């Protein structure tokens, strides 16, 4: 089916593989089978995942992997950024004729998982995540410039605000098992996503060195806020295109094999996480003592021996004037860096109170539309109410350029929360009751201090300027309530 129609009016097809056939998300849910979503081409210049997933589709439909459909329903979109895929260019580090990184409007889709600015990410949330609710997703990538000597590297959602159990299961159970199977059955060595930092003391290995922060702007990170499982993989740029395709294929194949054997348990973990989130809100949030993380960082997960090459260089392709990234000495084996500190454990660093719910002014429908795209249920007050809770007093609004592709500009709101004993709200006010599975996602989007929530992504800038943020202290318009006094 067509997930969305792109900015340049191209369809983005998704193939739904099921046996017996299913024609709707409802039928998929009623089957009891585990739903998996596989994606390629969010960055079309990183196109080996797209090729590998098409090979996997072939093997599932007409090859020796048909049996996977006995327990799984597999949704696959090999070419997610359909416009970028057709805007061909020569990549500077990898001299392949391939699509560009951005979509037709110049947006990096894999920085859009919270603000939902792109047609691509809106379509993915509205028409796939919200309807089909995959237990686990896989997003395929290429890490152009890395010396890490593994056929493919992997990570999961690293958002401290997410329910811990789905991510813990992926990190401690699923990925180690897939790593073992990839070596035994595919002959490739894979490892945790990151880069070696030989300039530090002691030498470190960290995903943040490869731009993977503990923020939710990435698709895989944001999906963890839905109490689901998510995996990102990256192949190294110095390998041949054929080797990169093969590595992506092996990982995706072994992931499906694992879910085939363990899907029921994975579904139960996600279902339990949903229940935990709702019950915590229902039972404790009215006290004002429930907290969640608004920021995080990576800490040491211990030490490990890491294989990495000494360095990369730019070399001319034989017989051409085209430069490509290559190993300095491709015939030499990689070096074994012993006892590297693994800065791969995400931990929360700052917290805020998680309320019973939020009350949003009637003229902020543009925010409500984003929440509903994120599958957050939003109601409208039919009559005036009074509520107790907290309001955030903004002292200053400023901006900062964040590192990474695009050097994107973010908003910072400085201020503090104060207790609000009683406040009146008119009919027509939007109400987010947090007793719903997507409560962690709503919290992350709406909290004013979250670095890449709605405020951080500048979605509220114009509204805040209109109510005087540049002239005086103002109250953040989205109210955190602990109790509704009159309904």
């Amino acid at each position: 089916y067509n997930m969305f129609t792109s900015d340049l009016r191209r369809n983005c097809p998704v193939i739904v593989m099921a046996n017996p056939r299913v024609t709707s998300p409802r039928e998929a849910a009623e089957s009891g089978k585990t739903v998996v979503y596989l994606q390629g081409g969010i960055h079309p210049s990183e196109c080996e995942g797209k090729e590998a997933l098409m090979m996997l589709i072939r093997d599932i439909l007409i090859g020796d992997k048909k049996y996977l459909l006995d327990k799984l329903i597999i949704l696959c979109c090999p070419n997610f950024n359909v416009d970028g895929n057709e805007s061909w260019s020569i990549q500077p580090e990898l001299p392949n004729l391939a699509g560009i990184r951005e979509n037709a409007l110049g947006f990096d889709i894999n920085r859009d998982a919270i603000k939902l600015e792109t047609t691509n990410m809106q379509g993915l949330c509205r028409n796939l995540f919200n309807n089909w609710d995959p237990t686990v997703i896989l997003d395929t990538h290429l890490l152009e410039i890395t010396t890490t000597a593994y056929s493919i590297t992997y990570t999961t959602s690293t958002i401290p605000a997410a329910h811990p159990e789905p991510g813990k299961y992926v990190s401690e159970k699923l990925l180690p098992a897939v790593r073992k199977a990839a070596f035994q059955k595919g002959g490739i060595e894979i490892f945790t996503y990151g880069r070696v930092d030989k300039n530090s003391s002691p030498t470190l290995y960290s995903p943040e060195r490869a731009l993977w922060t503990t923020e939710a702007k990435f698709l895989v990170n944001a999906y963890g806020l839905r109490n689901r499982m998510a995996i990102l993989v990256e192949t190294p740029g110095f390998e041949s295109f054929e080797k990169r395709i093969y590595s992506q294929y092996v990982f995706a194949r072994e992931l499906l094999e694992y879910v085939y054997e363990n899907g029921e348990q994975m579904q139960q973990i996600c279902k339990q996480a949903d229940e935990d989130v709702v019950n915590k809100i229902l039972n404790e949030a009215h006290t004002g003592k429930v907290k969640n993380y608004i920021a995080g960082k990576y800490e040491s997960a211990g030490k490990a021996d890491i294989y990495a090459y000494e360095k990369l260089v730019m070399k001319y392709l034989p017989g051409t004037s085209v430069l490509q990234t290559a190993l300095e000495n491709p015939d030499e084996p990689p070096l074994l860096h012993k006892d590297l500190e693994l800065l791969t454990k995400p931990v929360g660093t700052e917290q805020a109170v998680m309320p019973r719910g939020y009350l949003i002014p009637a003229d902020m429908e543009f925010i409500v539309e984003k929440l509903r795209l994120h599958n957050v249920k939003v109601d409208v007050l039919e009559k005036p109410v009074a509520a107790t809770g907290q309001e955030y007093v903004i002292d200053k609004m400023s901006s900062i350029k964040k590192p990474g592709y695009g050097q994107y500009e973010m908003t910072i709101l400085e201020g503090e929360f104060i207790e609000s004993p009683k406040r009146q709200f008119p009919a027509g006010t939007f109400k987010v009751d947090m007793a719903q599975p997507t409560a962690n996602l709503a919290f992350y989007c709406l909290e004013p201090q979250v670095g890449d929530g709605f405020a951080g992504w500048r979605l509220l800038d114009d509204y805040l300027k209109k109510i005087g943020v540049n002239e005086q202290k103002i109250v953040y318009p989205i109210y955190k309530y602990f109790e509704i006094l009159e309904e």
Side-chain angles (χ1 to χ4, degrees), residues 219-236:
L219 168 62
V220 163
N221 267 359
Y223 198 65
L225 289 167
R226 292 175 176 246
N227 310 322
R228 299 295 180 265
M229 302 181 185
I231 301 164
L232 173 139
V233 290
E234 302 244 15
T235 43

Side-chain angles (χ1 to χ4, degrees), residues 280-487:
K280 192 165 190 177
I281 294 296
L282 286 173
N283 298 329
E284 302 177 45
H286 66 280
T287 66
K289 296 180 180 179
V290 175
K291 292 188 176 183
N292 202 350
Y293 291 106
I294 59 173
K297 67 176 183 178
Y298 289 108
E299 287 187 350
S300 176
K303 295 186 177 183
D305 298 341
I306 305 292
Y307 282 100
Y309 293 100
E310 186 62 27
K311 67 177 182 178
L312 300 176
V313 296
M314 298 300 291
K315 290 184 178 181
Y316 287 104
L317 284 173
T320 77
S321 59
V322 177
L323 287 169
Q324 86 172 122
T325 302
L327 298 173
E328 184 177 38
N329 298 301
D331 295 330
E332 294 184 4
L335 301 175
L336 180 61
H337 298 268
K338 303 205 49 93
D339 291 330
L340 263 65
E341 202 77 43
L342 291 179
L343 289 187
T344 56
K345 180 182 178 182
V347 295
T349 56
E350 299 178 54
Q351 290 183 310
V353 171
M354 198 165 178
R356 181 63 179 79
Y358 292 93
L359 292 165
I360 304 172
D363 61 352
M364 295 188 75
E365 190 169 4
F366 63 99
I367 289 298
V368 171
E369 290 174 356
K370 299 286 187 183
L371 289 172
R372 287 171 173 161
L373 274 175
H374 277 301
N375 214 30
V376 175
K377 185 176 183 293
V378 184
D379 298 316
V380 181
L381 295 182
E382 296 182 356
K383 61 182 181 178
V385 302
T388 64
Q390 287 184 346
E391 53 190 21
Y392 188 73
V393 178
I394 302 172
D395 296 325
K396 180 182 178 183
M397 184 174 82
S398 58
S399 62
I400 185 174
K401 286 277 190 179
K402 295 292 287 291
Y405 292 107
Q407 287 288 310
Y408 41 92
E409 189 171 332
M410 309 294 288
T411 289
I412 298 175
L413 299 180
E414 299 176 45
E416 63 177 347
F417 278 103
I418 62 172
E419 299 301 316
S420 174
K422 186 175 182 180
R423 185 169 153 186
Q424 301 290 332
F425 294 88
T429 299
F430 294 106
K431 175 187 171 185
V432 178
D433 185 339
M434 290 284 277
Q436 56 181 304
T438 50
N440 290 330
L441 181 52
F443 169 85
Y444 195 92
C445 290
L446 294 176
E447 283 298 301
Q449 295 170 301
V450 171
D452 71 330
F454 285 170
W457 279 113
R458 308 179 68 191
L459 297 182
L460 280 72
D461 278 15
D462 290 343
Y463 191 96
L464 295 177
K465 290 175 184 177
K466 184 179 177 181
I467 62 176
V469 71
N470 290 333
E471 286 78 45
Q472 60 188 347
K473 290 185 178 183
I474 64 168
V475 174
Y476 184 67
I478 300 171
Y479 183 81
K480 294 164 68 161
Y481 77 83
F482 299 150
E483 186 178 3
I484 299 289
L485 302 177
E486 303 165 23
E487 274 195 281

